Amino acid sequence: MELGRWGDHLRKSWVVATVLLAGASTALAQDAEAEWRTTSSLIQTEPPAEEFTRYSYVNPDAPKGGTLNSAAFGTFDSFNPFIVRGTPAAGLGQFGGLLWDTLMQQSPDEAGTSHALIAEAFTYPDDYSSAIYRLNPDARWHDGEPVTAEDVVWSFEKLKEISPAYSRYYANVTAAVAISEREVEFTFDQTGNRELPHIMGDLAVLPKHWWEGENARGQKRNIANPTLEAPLGSGPYRIASFDPGSRIVWERVEDYWGAEEPVNIGRNNFDRMTYTYFQDDNAEFLAFTRGGFEDIRQETSTRRWAVEYNFPAFERGDVIKREFISGGIQHMQAFAFNMRQPRFQDRRVRQALTLAYNFEEQNRLQFFEMNERFSSYFERSELASSGVPEGQELEMLEAHRDALPQELFTEEFKLPVFDTPQAQRDNLREAVRLFDEAGWAIQGGRMVNKESGEQFRIEFLGSSPTSEIITGGYIANLRRLGIDATLRIVDTSQYIQRYQAFEFDAVTARFPQSESPGNEQRDYWSTQAADAEGSRNVPGIKDPVVDALIDKIIYAADRDELVAATRALDRVLLWNYYTVPQYFQPTMRYAYWNKFGIPEKQPEYSGIDPQSWWILQDREAEIEEQIEEAE
């Protein structure tokens, strides 16, 4: 489990000053004044009463020092997280990670909000046709060189060229132009997309002079290739050392340019952050119980949480269990069947596969009844569909009535429930009926195609023994239907490669969402993304109705329209049975070694921000001594 990115870090708020804008674009020049924003929100419609000076939950006087030990799963072979090839090291990410700052920083405390970082402010016209970002004059690379508008333009152009994620995320951004030494204008191929000016703040800014330079061997660098040369960054940490594939150590940058920026006050408190890689989840847990390899662990296994925290360090109080509550969306986890393969393209087949998943039994026998079932792709938010469609949502769906399941308009969507033995029989019987309608029949105990005689097969792809827990009961029920269902566990690198290339029958997929969905929905569900390697459209959805509803979300004129469009999309995804929803933990369960100072409150939206924690160095020394004695 990697702790390199805590929380989903979304966005919210608004902002401050109004100044004259000289040298603006044609669209902006029509206004005598332009509003420069230091905070951007896609949810709030009114500016806050006070200017943002720091996150409210942090300790601004938190001391610096100590080491945060973390575990990562699998391996790594690259420090370039922007390309499909290679597996990037822990601490890196497509939107900067620990190494590169972005124009704005997504807030862990408020949904749909970003605050100034490399960009000290931004502005845009009323029709959302462009945006200008003004850089902070203090922004510096770790070699002391200033971050320039030229760096921003180069980063935008290169990332759109080499990164499928950036290419889709910024598909409607046509150009980035340096209009002065500190200002960059982004132009869009459309108007009315209120999200575009905002999401430009997510751009990771990279050092053009480093990537276009030469390495120690005199070879020219190429950002389109994997690399194990530690890149030059601008963020709070730099790579100190590493063992390829097994360990990476990050060190805090003492003269980090942004240390006193509001988003960083009281955060980035660890002098060193180490990630040790494990190939097995059980080995990782044993290393955690021993100490020195993983200091903070999000416990996703309900069985471990319930019965396995009885090791010596826990019993003597050196390890603490604590549940955090997130106010954000629960991120959908589901079985995704590869609709690029013909046998999964029939909706009746996918509905039958949904009827075979017995969540209630799995929750009772394996999860101590501590998990809850997903019923929406936007679980626990106002974006989740419920009941039957009405109002604006109904109007949007009516436009596609002939292309939608008719029960969508008259029935509340409900997943099958296995609460009695009779319910199990009824659900499996209905699954057999649906298979029969779709051209499959049970012959000699095997579910076969009526025309070809080929047995229906599903191979679930996994990367750890945990996959056996997730799929075990489901596979047993599928076999009762005569389906040849199996699980194949492969090493992490192969799993990632096959997952990104869609070389599987079925996988467990996650679809993290924000409370302000927008352009990223194309990467999740659009026809365009279905065959784009590395996209998040894991099931391979190609549905004109889904494409149209994504556009409704992106071009929503206000929050009410956005909510209605998202509920409509949610409803269409559910009723088409594009995935089989699994389960979630209602609280965030963490265990950690008792060496931290922790703010009294944690962020309401993400639920936890360990970057706001700090090391109690006396406790750290005591724990290290106890670990040495135990060895």
Side-chain angles (χ1 to χ4, degrees), residues 101 117 142 234-237 253-260 264 268:
D101 281 334
L117 190 52
H142 293 160
S234 62
Y237 288 88
V253 177
E254 291 285 348
D255 59 351
Y256 170 44
W257 77 270
E260 298 304 317
N264 290 318
N268 306 316

Side-chain angles (χ1 to χ4, degrees), residues 49-106:
E50 299 180 0
E51 180 180 351
F52 175 72
T53 56
R54 63 175 174 84
Y55 293 120
S56 61
Y57 62 87
V58 303
N59 173 9
D61 300 317
K64 309 293 185 183
T67 298
L68 173 66
N69 299 298
S70 298
F73 197 76
T75 186
F76 71 91
D77 57 12
S78 178
F79 295 143
N80 185 348
F82 305 110
I83 58 177
V84 174
R85 285 189 299 152
T87 303
L92 295 167
Q94 290 186 334
F95 293 96
L98 300 172
L99 187 59
W100 296 288
D101 281 334
T102 48
L103 289 172
M104 309 278 281
Q105 183 185 96
Q106 296 181 9

Side-chain angles (χ1 to χ4, degrees), residues 226-240:
T227 181
L228 279 175
E229 178 187 12
L232 177 69
S234 62
Y237 288 88
R238 61 162 63 95
I239 297 171

Side-chain angles (χ1 to χ4, degrees), residues 301-543:
S301 168
T302 51
R303 179 173 187 81
R304 282 207 187 102
W305 187 259
V307 301
E308 295 186 25
Y309 278 80
N310 54 9
F311 48 91
F314 178 76
E315 292 178 343
R316 67 174 179 260
D318 285 339
V319 170
I320 294 173
K321 290 167 61 178
R322 180 174 171 184
E323 297 185 56
F324 296 88
I325 298 175
S326 168
I329 291 175
Q330 289 288 342
H331 301 314
M332 169 68 89
Q333 178 174 299
F335 294 111
F337 296 95
N338 192 348
M339 290 190 295
R340 300 165 190 86
Q341 299 178 15
R343 66 185 182 280
F344 298 116
Q345 291 174 4
D346 193 305
R347 174 180 175 269
R348 293 166 296 188
V349 166
R350 299 194 302 271
Q351 184 177 358
L353 294 173
T354 301
L355 284 161
Y357 179 49
N358 187 339
F359 163 73
E360 285 74 25
E361 181 177 74
Q362 186 178 35
N363 196 34
R364 184 179 69 255
L365 298 180
Q366 295 180 319
F367 302 145
F368 298 83
E369 297 187 332
M370 296 171 66
N371 288 342
E372 297 180 14
R373 184 91 189 264
F374 280 105
S375 59
S376 168
Y377 288 84
F378 301 87
E379 188 75 35
R380 291 196 170 182
S381 79
E382 66 171 339
L383 303 170
S385 59
S386 62
V388 296
E390 57 186 23
Q392 242 183 325
E393 180 192 353
L394 178 58
E395 291 176 13
M396 294 177 186
L397 292 169
E398 283 286 3
H400 308 282
R401 177 179 279 272
D402 292 343
L404 292 170
Q406 291 308 295
E407 57 264 44
L408 176 151
F409 294 93
T410 59
E411 300 176 22
E412 180 178 6
F413 180 84
K414 292 184 178 180
L415 290 165
V417 175
F418 289 74
D419 53 354
T420 66
Q422 184 61 44
Q424 163 122 338
R425 290 189 290 271
D426 291 345
N427 288 330
L428 295 183
R429 187 179 298 114
E430 177 65 7
V432 170
R433 187 190 69 80
L434 289 165
F435 266 113
D436 183 71
E437 285 188 4
W440 301 82
I442 297 178
Q443 297 178 6
R446 300 162 69 244
M447 181 70 72
V448 299
N449 187 279
K450 293 178 182 179
E451 294 183 0
S452 68
E454 179 183 5
Q455 185 177 11
F456 199 101
R457 291 190 298 273
I458 304 175
E459 180 185 81
F460 291 84
L461 184 67
S463 62
S464 76
T466 302
S467 301
E468 297 176 2
I469 297 173
I470 294 173
T471 62
Y474 190 29
I475 286 175
N477 260 6
L478 292 172
R479 288 174 176 171
R480 290 188 181 100
L481 295 175
I483 295 172
D484 179 14
T486 58
L487 169 66
R488 173 175 290 187
I489 297 177
V490 298
D491 66 73
T492 305
S493 295
Q494 186 180 358
Y495 178 84
I496 293 171
Q497 182 181 14
R498 289 184 59 178
Y499 189 99
Q500 292 181 333
F502 310 124
E503 295 176 356
F504 55 80
D505 293 342
V507 293
T508 290
R510 296 186 78 242
F511 304 96
Q513 295 284 358
S514 80
E515 290 195 23
S516 185
N519 284 32
E520 78 288 342
Q521 300 305 303
R522 288 174 174 157
D523 197 39
Y524 280 123
W525 322 116
S526 74
T527 299
Q528 181 184 14
D531 295 322
E533 186 172 326
S535 85
R536 291 177 286 186
N537 189 347
V538 182
I541 299 169
K542 297 179 180 180
D543 185 338

Side-chain angles (χ1 to χ4, degrees), residues 542-600:
K542 297 179 180 180
D543 185 338
V545 177
V546 170
D547 292 338
L549 291 174
I550 290 171
D551 283 345
K552 285 286 188 182
I553 291 171
I554 292 172
Y555 295 108
D558 52 37
R559 180 70 182 176
D560 289 343
E561 185 176 339
L562 177 100
V563 171
T566 306
R567 289 175 179 173
L569 174 64
D570 185 39
R571 198 179 300 274
V572 169
L573 294 173
L574 292 169
W575 275 104
N576 278 297
Y577 298 96
Y578 286 127
T579 68
V580 179
Q582 294 180 5
Y583 46 82
F584 63 93
Q585 298 177 353
T587 60
M588 303 169 66
R589 299 164 188 156
Y590 278 83
Y592 55 89
W593 282 79
N594 188 15
K595 58 183 252 185
F596 297 101
I598 303 175
E600 183 177 347

Side-chain angles (χ1 to χ4, degrees), residues 11-22:
R11 325 158 213 176
K12 177 179 171 191
S13 255
W14 266 90
V15 86
V16 261
T18 298
V19 298
L20 292 177
L21 174 62

